[in-house]
């Protein structure tokens, strides 16, 4: 579904520990010739420090708890 050179934004419902999104970004960055622009979440659970696993990427969350 990805085309080389595409700009990609990944969107997920919850950022908790960051493990799922870290695995997803790694898969995409290592296997496709696309530009991963940012990741976005509806809800972020700040106390679980999920952002630490996503360093180097712009991260946007609508709600933070």
């Amino acid at each position: 579904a990805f085309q080389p050179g595409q700009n990609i934004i990944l969107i997920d419902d919850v950022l908790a520990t960051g493990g799922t999104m870290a695995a997803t970004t790694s898969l995409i960055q290592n296997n496709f010739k696309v530009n991963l622009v940012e990741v976005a979440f509806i809800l972020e659970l700040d106390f679980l420090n999920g952002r630490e696993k996503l360093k180097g990427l712009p991260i946007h969350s609508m709600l933070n708890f």
Side-chain angles (χ1 to χ4, degrees):
F2 296 124
Q3 299 298 317
Q6 275 184 318
N7 291 326
I8 303 296
I9 298 172
L10 295 177
I11 301 171
D12 199 1
D13 56 349
V14 177
L15 172 58
T17 64
T20 300
M21 189 57 79
T24 303
T25 59
S26 177
L27 175 72
I28 289 172
Q29 290 174 327
N30 293 328
N31 295 293
F32 300 97
K33 295 178 182 181
V34 297
N35 303 314
L36 185 53
V37 177
E38 66 184 48
V39 293
F41 302 92
I42 296 171
L43 173 67
E44 180 176 351
L45 302 174
D46 298 328
F47 61 93
L48 292 176
N49 301 314
R51 284 179 179 249
E52 294 298 315
K53 291 186 181 168
L54 302 173
K55 288 184 179 179
L57 288 171
I59 302 169
H60 300 281
S61 300
M62 292 178 65
L63 300 168
N64 293 73
F65 289 100

